[in-house]
Amino acid sequence: MNQIKIFSPATVANVSCGFDCLGFAVNDLGDTMTFTKTSTKEVKITDIKGANLPLEADKNVASAVALLMLEKHSADFGLEISIQKGYSPGSGLGSSAASAAGAAFAVNELLGKPFSQLELTKFAMYGEKVACGSEIADNVAAALYGGFILVQQYEPLAIVKIPVPEELMLVAIHPQVKVRTKDARDVLPENIPLADAVTQWANVGGLISGLYSQNFEVIANSLQDIVVEPARKHLIPHFDLVKEAAVNAGALNAGISGSGPTIFALCKGEENAKKVYHAIEDTYTDKGIDFTMVYSKINTEGVKILEQN
Amino acid sequence: MNQIKIFSPATVANVSCGFDCLGFAVNDLGDTMTFTKTSTKEVKITDIKGANLPLEADKNVASAVALLMLEKHSADFGLEISIQKGYSPGSGLGSSAASAAGAAFAVNELLGKPFSQLELTKFAMYGEKVACGSEIADNVAAALYGGFILVQQYEPLAIVKIPVPEELMLVAIHPQVKVRTKDARDVLPENIPLADAVTQWANVGGLISGLYSQNFEVIANSLQDIVVEPARKHLIPHFDLVKEAAVNAGALNAGISGSGPTIFALCKGEENAKKVYHAIEDTYTDKGIDFTMVYSKINTEGVKILEQN
């Protein structure tokens, strides 16, 4: 194989009660990336469409991951990478993770698949470190594995793939405002009441159970974040309004995607998702803030090959 | 039906990471209770074998639950209750819950099953209040539903039954020491670091996932309590020694049952459970503390009818 073109999905991390451990992949939003072998042993970003991102090989997430993998495998070739961003960086939908996971997956294919999915996750986590300074796993694991994933532990890394009910749908709104990662981190409480922690972990248990048993009532009851959302929501304009509109329109619930500003809602079935889409859209149309919206099934396969030759 | 004899199982609550929300029922340990209709509209405890518990109708857990249910349903009969305790109160294996759940189940049968399982759980929670002052649900729900249960939320009460892998086995040791509920409560931290809470809820998610997927590696990885066990374990003599012996003998992991002093270990398969049983027994034989031990499958059916006529 000399060339591979892949699709790497956007991802929602910090899924309500599952702060810092639960993420899922979006079916209809993501990046398209093409990786072409070269004989020079260099890695070059040839072009990036759709976003203003670094082209330098060690600063761009995709090339940084590719470089590391080629080096680890003592590859005798280099790469040219072309990236078509499908959505904006800074949205809270795992933009750097899509690039990192896409690169990990594609380079593994070009190398003849020497690495396991868990190893690819670790390579992609290095990409997250290049992008934001820390090796977080939830977005990249969701992009690589597809579906819902749980980062059960970091040392050693353990990822658990959770089944997704067929009818589960995502609606998300990305208000065009900037939430700085530092601000989103700074508002987090260092300590939380044990009673709140118990409420939160009972909900994590409920959510995982609801996903396995396809029990939407349990999913809806459990999709709550009483710890991080109250601390962060003021960073996102009209968060409460959007959430209320989503729930009133029948969404299972809504929350902050990643560290925002995207707000996601989960819904049962396409018909309900359409209602929720319009209800959320209505709340934002007169607010003087630009926004984009997503309506999608949950991606269950992760990064996928579009073309290869 | 004039008389019913039932078996109500012992239960393990606070299952590792699932403090205050996760419990399971024990197959081979519990109380046998007989309920006989009388025409006097009174509820009487006729005898209690195997433990020294109150005989007064409003103070005994079983009769208190029965009185409440007969009143709610405006029953035209009374009851005589005979109790054969299968294990000691104060063990941390849900002794009051077994009586409360057994009474709720049996009285419902004698009334012609007017109440749902969730309503029975609430009646049994009243029994817990009579016994210890608070309406905790995890032990009574585990006894009534059987298997693993998650108290997903209290307001309104929502119980989720989690499937149990066939091979899962319990080994437990009850050292004959007293852990006062007040002491067990007093050592709990009021606040915990957010980072610890995340570790704990990722483990709850992993444990629930492992139970559904019958993945014993995930169950073992997730069966950890970094919040409550470190605060409570010094109340139980030789806790670390027992846990280490259990894990070295191949147990998935071990932890405190309820608020102790019973220490439970979960194991995969009978052969391993036997090894773990002997390893735990060995650690305690020369310690000068009396103890009893349990070796059992997980009970998956909850309270069950032994005889009726």
Side-chain angles (χ1 to χ4, degrees), chain B residues 192-224:
Chain B
I192 64 172
L194 175 58
D196 288 355
V198 170
T199 299
Q200 193 93 342
W201 66 56
N203 282 329
V204 170
L207 180 52
I208 301 293
S209 170
L211 290 168
Y212 270 96
S213 61
Q214 309 200 11
N215 185 326
F216 284 90
E217 193 188 336
V218 173
I219 294 174
N221 276 348
S222 307
L223 261 183
Q224 297 185 46

mmCIF file of all heavy atoms in Angstrom, chain B residues 192-224:
data_model
loop_
_atom_site.group_PDB
_atom_site.id
_atom_site.type_symbol
_atom_site.label_atom_id
_atom_site.label_comp_id
_atom_site.label_asym_id
_atom_site.label_seq_id
_atom_site.Cartn_x
_atom_site.Cartn_y
_atom_site.Cartn_z
ATOM 1 N N ILE B 192 -13.588 14.876 48.767
ATOM 2 C CA ILE B 192 -12.516 14.084 48.174
ATOM 3 C C ILE B 192 -11.974 14.814 46.947
ATOM 4 O O ILE B 192 -12.691 15.594 46.320
ATOM 5 C CB ILE B 192 -12.991 12.665 47.782
ATOM 6 C CG1 ILE B 192 -14.070 12.727 46.687
ATOM 7 C CG2 ILE B 192 -13.514 11.924 48.996
ATOM 8 C CD1 ILE B 192 -14.442 11.367 46.127
ATOM 9 N N PRO B 193 -10.696 14.581 46.608
ATOM 10 C CA PRO B 193 -10.143 15.217 45.408
ATOM 11 C C PRO B 193 -10.929 14.805 44.159
ATOM 12 O O PRO B 193 -11.304 13.626 44.033
ATOM 13 C CB PRO B 193 -8.704 14.682 45.352
ATOM 14 C CG PRO B 193 -8.383 14.266 46.749
ATOM 15 C CD PRO B 193 -9.688 13.787 47.327
ATOM 16 N N LEU B 194 -11.174 15.767 43.274
ATOM 17 C CA LEU B 194 -11.877 15.465 42.027
ATOM 18 C C LEU B 194 -11.164 14.339 41.267
ATOM 19 O O LEU B 194 -11.816 13.453 40.701
ATOM 20 C CB LEU B 194 -11.965 16.733 41.154
ATOM 21 C CG LEU B 194 -12.576 16.564 39.762
ATOM 22 C CD1 LEU B 194 -13.991 16.006 39.822
ATOM 23 C CD2 LEU B 194 -12.581 17.903 39.007
ATOM 24 N N ALA B 195 -9.830 14.373 41.284
ATOM 25 C CA ALA B 195 -9.063 13.344 40.556
ATOM 26 C C ALA B 195 -9.378 11.937 41.090
ATOM 27 O O ALA B 195 -9.509 10.986 40.317
ATOM 28 C CB ALA B 195 -7.567 13.627 40.665
ATOM 29 N N ASP B 196 -9.513 11.816 42.413
ATOM 30 C CA ASP B 196 -9.867 10.511 42.999
ATOM 31 C C ASP B 196 -11.292 10.110 42.615
ATOM 32 O O ASP B 196 -11.575 8.931 42.361
ATOM 33 C CB ASP B 196 -9.761 10.550 44.532
ATOM 34 C CG ASP B 196 -8.316 10.599 44.995
ATOM 35 O OD1 ASP B 196 -7.412 10.504 44.144
ATOM 36 O OD2 ASP B 196 -8.100 10.738 46.213
ATOM 37 N N ALA B 197 -12.175 11.093 42.597
ATOM 38 C CA ALA B 197 -13.565 10.803 42.223
ATOM 39 C C ALA B 197 -13.617 10.281 40.789
ATOM 40 O O ALA B 197 -14.345 9.327 40.492
ATOM 41 C CB ALA B 197 -14.433 12.047 42.374
ATOM 42 N N VAL B 198 -12.821 10.886 39.895
ATOM 43 C CA VAL B 198 -12.789 10.435 38.496
ATOM 44 C C VAL B 198 -12.280 8.994 38.413
ATOM 45 O O VAL B 198 -12.875 8.152 37.726
ATOM 46 C CB VAL B 198 -11.908 11.363 37.627
ATOM 47 C CG1 VAL B 198 -11.691 10.753 36.249
ATOM 48 C CG2 VAL B 198 -12.543 12.747 37.504
ATOM 49 N N THR B 199 -11.203 8.707 39.134
ATOM 50 C CA THR B 199 -10.683 7.331 39.164
ATOM 51 C C THR B 199 -11.766 6.366 39.630
ATOM 52 O O THR B 199 -11.966 5.299 39.046
ATOM 53 C CB THR B 199 -9.481 7.248 40.137
ATOM 54 O OG1 THR B 199 -8.465 8.123 39.655
ATOM 55 C CG2 THR B 199 -8.929 5.833 40.222
ATOM 56 N N GLN B 200 -12.480 6.780 40.679
ATOM 57 C CA GLN B 200 -13.520 5.909 41.237
ATOM 58 C C GLN B 200 -14.668 5.712 40.259
ATOM 59 O O GLN B 200 -15.138 4.596 40.060
ATOM 60 C CB GLN B 200 -14.035 6.529 42.553
ATOM 61 C CG GLN B 200 -14.878 5.604 43.407
ATOM 62 C CD GLN B 200 -14.063 4.851 44.464
ATOM 63 O OE1 GLN B 200 -12.833 4.748 44.391
ATOM 64 N NE2 GLN B 200 -14.746 4.316 45.444
ATOM 65 N N TRP B 201 -15.129 6.792 39.594
ATOM 66 C CA TRP B 201 -16.288 6.594 38.715
ATOM 67 C C TRP B 201 -15.904 5.888 37.418
ATOM 68 O O TRP B 201 -16.736 5.200 36.826
ATOM 69 C CB TRP B 201 -17.160 7.828 38.549
ATOM 70 C CG TRP B 201 -16.690 9.057 37.864
ATOM 71 C CD1 TRP B 201 -16.201 9.167 36.593
ATOM 72 C CD2 TRP B 201 -16.749 10.393 38.392
ATOM 73 N NE1 TRP B 201 -15.950 10.481 36.316
ATOM 74 C CE2 TRP B 201 -16.282 11.263 37.387
ATOM 75 C CE3 TRP B 201 -17.169 10.950 39.609
ATOM 76 C CZ2 TRP B 201 -16.201 12.651 37.564
ATOM 77 C CZ3 TRP B 201 -17.095 12.322 39.780
ATOM 78 C CH2 TRP B 201 -16.609 13.157 38.778
ATOM 79 N N ALA B 202 -14.645 6.026 37.001
ATOM 80 C CA ALA B 202 -14.187 5.233 35.848
ATOM 81 C C ALA B 202 -14.209 3.750 36.220
ATOM 82 O O ALA B 202 -14.557 2.888 35.406
ATOM 83 C CB ALA B 202 -12.791 5.657 35.414
ATOM 84 N N ASN B 203 -13.864 3.442 37.469
ATOM 85 C CA ASN B 203 -13.914 2.053 37.923
ATOM 86 C C ASN B 203 -15.346 1.534 38.044
ATOM 87 O O ASN B 203 -15.616 0.375 37.731
ATOM 88 C CB ASN B 203 -13.164 1.889 39.246
ATOM 89 C CG ASN B 203 -11.654 1.837 39.037
ATOM 90 O OD1 ASN B 203 -11.179 1.363 37.998
ATOM 91 N ND2 ASN B 203 -10.893 2.343 39.991
ATOM 92 N N VAL B 204 -16.257 2.379 38.509
ATOM 93 C CA VAL B 204 -17.670 1.964 38.545
ATOM 94 C C VAL B 204 -18.135 1.628 37.127
ATOM 95 O O VAL B 204 -18.749 0.581 36.888
ATOM 96 C CB VAL B 204 -18.576 3.061 39.159
ATOM 97 C CG1 VAL B 204 -20.049 2.714 38.955
ATOM 98 C CG2 VAL B 204 -18.281 3.242 40.642
ATOM 99 N N GLY B 205 -17.802 2.508 36.181
ATOM 100 C CA GLY B 205 -18.165 2.244 34.785
ATOM 101 C C GLY B 205 -17.544 0.945 34.295
ATOM 102 O O GLY B 205 -18.197 0.139 33.624
ATOM 103 N N GLY B 206 -16.283 0.714 34.652
ATOM 104 C CA GLY B 206 -15.600 -0.511 34.233
ATOM 105 C C GLY B 206 -16.232 -1.742 34.851
ATOM 106 O O GLY B 206 -16.432 -2.762 34.168
ATOM 107 N N LEU B 207 -16.581 -1.648 36.125
ATOM 108 C CA LEU B 207 -17.178 -2.806 36.812
ATOM 109 C C LEU B 207 -18.520 -3.184 36.193
ATOM 110 O O LEU B 207 -18.783 -4.370 35.915
ATOM 111 C CB LEU B 207 -17.329 -2.496 38.309
ATOM 112 C CG LEU B 207 -17.924 -3.581 39.201
ATOM 113 C CD1 LEU B 207 -17.209 -4.916 39.019
ATOM 114 C CD2 LEU B 207 -17.879 -3.158 40.668
ATOM 115 N N ILE B 208 -19.354 -2.191 35.954
ATOM 116 C CA ILE B 208 -20.661 -2.470 35.342
ATOM 117 C C ILE B 208 -20.454 -3.074 33.945
ATOM 118 O O ILE B 208 -21.097 -4.054 33.569
ATOM 119 C CB ILE B 208 -21.507 -1.174 35.237
ATOM 120 C CG1 ILE B 208 -21.725 -0.550 36.626
ATOM 121 C CG2 ILE B 208 -22.841 -1.449 34.534
ATOM 122 C CD1 ILE B 208 -22.580 -1.340 37.556
ATOM 123 N N SER B 209 -19.539 -2.488 33.190
ATOM 124 C CA SER B 209 -19.255 -3.015 31.852
ATOM 125 C C SER B 209 -18.737 -4.451 31.933
ATOM 126 O O SER B 209 -19.172 -5.324 31.164
ATOM 127 C CB SER B 209 -18.224 -2.120 31.152
ATOM 128 O OG SER B 209 -17.773 -2.732 29.976
ATOM 129 N N GLY B 210 -17.825 -4.714 32.857
ATOM 130 C CA GLY B 210 -17.269 -6.054 33.009
ATOM 131 C C GLY B 210 -18.328 -7.086 33.372
ATOM 132 O O GLY B 210 -18.282 -8.232 32.904
ATOM 133 N N LEU B 211 -19.302 -6.678 34.201
ATOM 134 C CA LEU B 211 -20.373 -7.600 34.575
ATOM 135 C C LEU B 211 -21.256 -7.921 33.369
ATOM 136 O O LEU B 211 -21.612 -9.072 33.135
ATOM 137 C CB LEU B 211 -21.209 -7.014 35.720
ATOM 138 C CG LEU B 211 -20.504 -6.949 37.087
ATOM 139 C CD1 LEU B 211 -21.296 -6.091 38.078
ATOM 140 C CD2 LEU B 211 -20.279 -8.348 37.670
ATOM 141 N N TYR B 212 -21.592 -6.892 32.584
ATOM 142 C CA TYR B 212 -22.412 -7.128 31.381
ATOM 143 C C TYR B 212 -21.674 -7.993 30.366
ATOM 144 O O TYR B 212 -22.242 -8.890 29.758
ATOM 145 C CB TYR B 212 -22.805 -5.802 30.714
ATOM 146 C CG TYR B 212 -24.099 -5.224 31.221
ATOM 147 C CD1 TYR B 212 -24.104 -4.263 32.224
ATOM 148 C CD2 TYR B 212 -25.326 -5.632 30.704
ATOM 149 C CE1 TYR B 212 -25.293 -3.713 32.698
ATOM 150 C CE2 TYR B 212 -26.521 -5.093 31.165
ATOM 151 C CZ TYR B 212 -26.496 -4.131 32.168
ATOM 152 O OH TYR B 212 -27.672 -3.611 32.625
ATOM 153 N N SER B 213 -20.380 -7.682 30.160
ATOM 154 C CA SER B 213 -19.643 -8.357 29.085
ATOM 155 C C SER B 213 -18.953 -9.630 29.573
ATOM 156 O O SER B 213 -18.288 -10.307 28.801
ATOM 157 C CB SER B 213 -18.607 -7.400 28.494
ATOM 158 O OG SER B 213 -17.682 -6.997 29.484
ATOM 159 N N GLN B 214 -19.122 -9.944 30.873
ATOM 160 C CA GLN B 214 -18.486 -11.118 31.478
ATOM 161 C C GLN B 214 -16.984 -11.108 31.242
ATOM 162 O O GLN B 214 -16.376 -12.153 31.002
ATOM 163 C CB GLN B 214 -19.110 -12.402 30.940
ATOM 164 C CG GLN B 214 -20.615 -12.396 31.042
ATOM 165 C CD GLN B 214 -21.224 -13.785 30.991
ATOM 166 O OE1 GLN B 214 -20.529 -14.794 31.083
ATOM 167 N NE2 GLN B 214 -22.529 -13.855 30.880
ATOM 168 N N ASN B 215 -16.399 -9.921 31.299
ATOM 169 C CA ASN B 215 -14.964 -9.778 31.099
ATOM 170 C C ASN B 215 -14.297 -9.674 32.476
ATOM 171 O O ASN B 215 -14.313 -8.613 33.114
ATOM 172 C CB ASN B 215 -14.701 -8.530 30.248
ATOM 173 C CG ASN B 215 -13.234 -8.386 29.897
ATOM 174 O OD1 ASN B 215 -12.358 -8.743 30.686
ATOM 175 N ND2 ASN B 215 -12.964 -7.861 28.715
ATOM 176 N N PHE B 216 -13.726 -10.793 32.915
ATOM 177 C CA PHE B 216 -13.185 -10.850 34.278
ATOM 178 C C PHE B 216 -11.939 -9.986 34.449
ATOM 179 O O PHE B 216 -11.642 -9.538 35.554
ATOM 180 C CB PHE B 216 -12.907 -12.304 34.680
ATOM 181 C CG PHE B 216 -14.148 -13.067 35.021
ATOM 182 C CD1 PHE B 216 -14.854 -13.757 34.051
ATOM 183 C CD2 PHE B 216 -14.652 -13.045 36.312
ATOM 184 C CE1 PHE B 216 -16.016 -14.448 34.362
ATOM 185 C CE2 PHE B 216 -15.809 -13.727 36.646
ATOM 186 C CZ PHE B 216 -16.499 -14.433 35.656
ATOM 187 N N GLU B 217 -11.228 -9.730 33.364
ATOM 188 C CA GLU B 217 -10.059 -8.846 33.457
ATOM 189 C C GLU B 217 -10.523 -7.425 33.788
ATOM 190 O O GLU B 217 -9.950 -6.751 34.654
ATOM 191 C CB GLU B 217 -9.287 -8.872 32.133
ATOM 192 C CG GLU B 217 -7.912 -8.235 32.257
ATOM 193 C CD GLU B 217 -7.228 -8.099 30.900
ATOM 194 O OE1 GLU B 217 -7.553 -8.862 29.965
ATOM 195 O OE2 GLU B 217 -6.373 -7.192 30.787
ATOM 196 N N VAL B 218 -11.574 -6.994 33.106
ATOM 197 C CA VAL B 218 -12.109 -5.652 33.370
ATOM 198 C C VAL B 218 -12.702 -5.596 34.781
ATOM 199 O O VAL B 218 -12.524 -4.607 35.504
ATOM 200 C CB VAL B 218 -13.153 -5.251 32.303
ATOM 201 C CG1 VAL B 218 -13.826 -3.933 32.670
ATOM 202 C CG2 VAL B 218 -12.491 -5.133 30.929
ATOM 203 N N ILE B 219 -13.415 -6.661 35.179
ATOM 204 C CA ILE B 219 -13.967 -6.688 36.542
ATOM 205 C C ILE B 219 -12.837 -6.548 37.560
ATOM 206 O O ILE B 219 -12.913 -5.723 38.479
ATOM 207 C CB ILE B 219 -14.758 -8.000 36.793
ATOM 208 C CG1 ILE B 219 -16.012 -8.050 35.915
ATOM 209 C CG2 ILE B 219 -15.140 -8.132 38.278
ATOM 210 C CD1 ILE B 219 -16.772 -9.381 35.982
ATOM 211 N N ALA B 220 -11.779 -7.333 37.384
ATOM 212 C CA ALA B 220 -10.662 -7.299 38.344
ATOM 213 C C ALA B 220 -10.009 -5.916 38.377
ATOM 214 O O ALA B 220 -9.752 -5.361 39.444
ATOM 215 C CB ALA B 220 -9.630 -8.366 37.986
ATOM 216 N N ASN B 221 -9.766 -5.340 37.205
ATOM 217 C CA ASN B 221 -9.155 -4.000 37.151
ATOM 218 C C ASN B 221 -10.006 -2.951 37.845
ATOM 219 O O ASN B 221 -9.499 -1.989 38.398
ATOM 220 C CB ASN B 221 -8.973 -3.550 35.694
ATOM 221 C CG ASN B 221 -7.700 -4.078 35.082
ATOM 222 O OD1 ASN B 221 -6.844 -4.596 35.793
ATOM 223 N ND2 ASN B 221 -7.576 -3.958 33.777
ATOM 224 N N SER B 222 -11.326 -3.126 37.744
ATOM 225 C CA SER B 222 -12.245 -2.084 38.217
ATOM 226 C C SER B 222 -12.628 -2.236 39.684
ATOM 227 O O SER B 222 -13.121 -1.288 40.300
ATOM 228 C CB SER B 222 -13.525 -2.112 37.377
ATOM 229 O OG SER B 222 -13.229 -2.051 36.008
ATOM 230 N N LEU B 223 -12.432 -3.426 40.231
ATOM 231 C CA LEU B 223 -12.836 -3.702 41.619
ATOM 232 C C LEU B 223 -11.875 -3.038 42.592
ATOM 233 O O LEU B 223 -11.125 -3.710 43.305
ATOM 234 C CB LEU B 223 -12.820 -5.200 41.876
ATOM 235 C CG LEU B 223 -14.128 -5.985 41.818
ATOM 236 C CD1 LEU B 223 -13.851 -7.424 42.182
ATOM 237 C CD2 LEU B 223 -15.224 -5.426 42.683
ATOM 238 N N GLN B 224 -11.881 -1.717 42.607
ATOM 239 C CA GLN B 224 -10.974 -0.978 43.471
ATOM 240 C C GLN B 224 -11.729 0.149 44.139
ATOM 241 O O GLN B 224 -12.607 0.752 43.534
ATOM 242 C CB GLN B 224 -9.843 -0.375 42.640
ATOM 243 C CG GLN B 224 -8.982 -1.401 41.959
ATOM 244 C CD GLN B 224 -7.808 -0.755 41.260
ATOM 245 O OE1 GLN B 224 -7.136 0.100 41.823
ATOM 246 N NE2 GLN B 224 -7.579 -1.137 40.028
#
